[in-house]
Amino acid sequence: DAKTTQPPSMDCAEGRAANLPCNHSTISGNEYVYWYRQIHSQGPQYIIHGLKNNETNEMASLIITEDRKSSTLILPHATLRDTAVYYCIVRAPSRSGNTPLVFGKGTRLSVIA
Amino acid sequence: EPEVTQTPSHQVTQMGQEVILRCVPISNHLYFYWYRQILGQKVEFLVSFYNNEISEKSEIFDDQFSVERPDGSNFTLKIRSTKLEDSAMYFCASREARTQETQYFGPGTRLLVL
């Protein structure tokens, strides 16, 4: 089962920042927080990941609280093409090298014009 | 930018028939995965594959499923005798190396079993 809790849906106005929260209160010290999104039954698309420091790339920023029990994905200027289901996943580096991703239900983000 | 590709994009088959779903992972990637998503449900892990053998598999991945890397580029999922409940999107994913944990997904194959 997924170890994260996300709101089922959110709306965001086009051009505004979208802030998607995720709770992972049972996260272990070596577990990373990953964010993926899925646009209308396409394959999940990697967005960003982090361990404890905040991270930023060309797609988004990831803010992880100091206690690591929650995080927020920020899309700084949402566009209509950002409408998707966003998944927050915690995952430890695997000894076998091949631990799968465990997807929850995610947050359905609707960007509104 | 390199990407995972999958063929066919859609497959319709009769119950009991065999299907083979094909994936071409990103060229320097070493770890390969199959996931599936039944319509309206979560993405579910099926199997992971490394060094020409299965690393992990889920309860879903029973004896009717098999995976193979027949050459240096393709990674296939075979369903021997399809059932109605096998209708789903099937996603292939690949990952570069043990120290690089990010998995990259293909666009999926939509399988419909009639």
Side-chain angles (χ1 to χ4, degrees), chain B residues 57-72:
Chain B
K57 59 183 181 179
S58 71
E59 292 178 353
I60 302 168
F61 193 87
D62 60 21
D63 291 344
Q64 69 162 339
F65 291 94
S66 62
V67 288
E68 192 177 34
R69 189 157 161 81
D71 53 42

Side-chain angles (χ1 to χ4, degrees), chain A residues 19-75:
Chain A
N19 296 282
L20 292 98
C22 179
N23 285 321
H24 30 80
S25 58
T26 60
I27 193 169
S28 301
N30 66 339
E31 286 182 316
Y32 286 75
V33 180
Y34 280 81
W35 283 84
Y36 282 78
R37 73 181 182 183
Q38 190 175 25
I39 298 173
H40 191 54
S41 294
Q42 296 178 23
Q45 178 188 21
Y46 166 76
I47 302 172
I48 199 168
H49 74 283
L51 183 61
K52 52 185 177 181
N53 297 323
N54 298 337
E55 302 288 343
T56 295
N57 63 19
E58 65 277 5
M59 288 182 70
S61 294
L62 174 60
I63 308 298
I64 302 173
T65 58
E66 195 167 333
D67 63 8
R68 301 205 329 118
K69 293 186 176 183
S70 66
S71 61
T72 301
L73 179 74
I74 301 172
L75 308 178

Side-chain angles (χ1 to χ4, degrees), chain B residues 3-16:
Chain B
E3 56 185 24
V4 177
T5 60
Q6 292 184 241
T7 54
S9 58
H10 294 78
Q11 174 97 41
V12 181
T13 190
Q14 295 291 323
M15 189 171 53

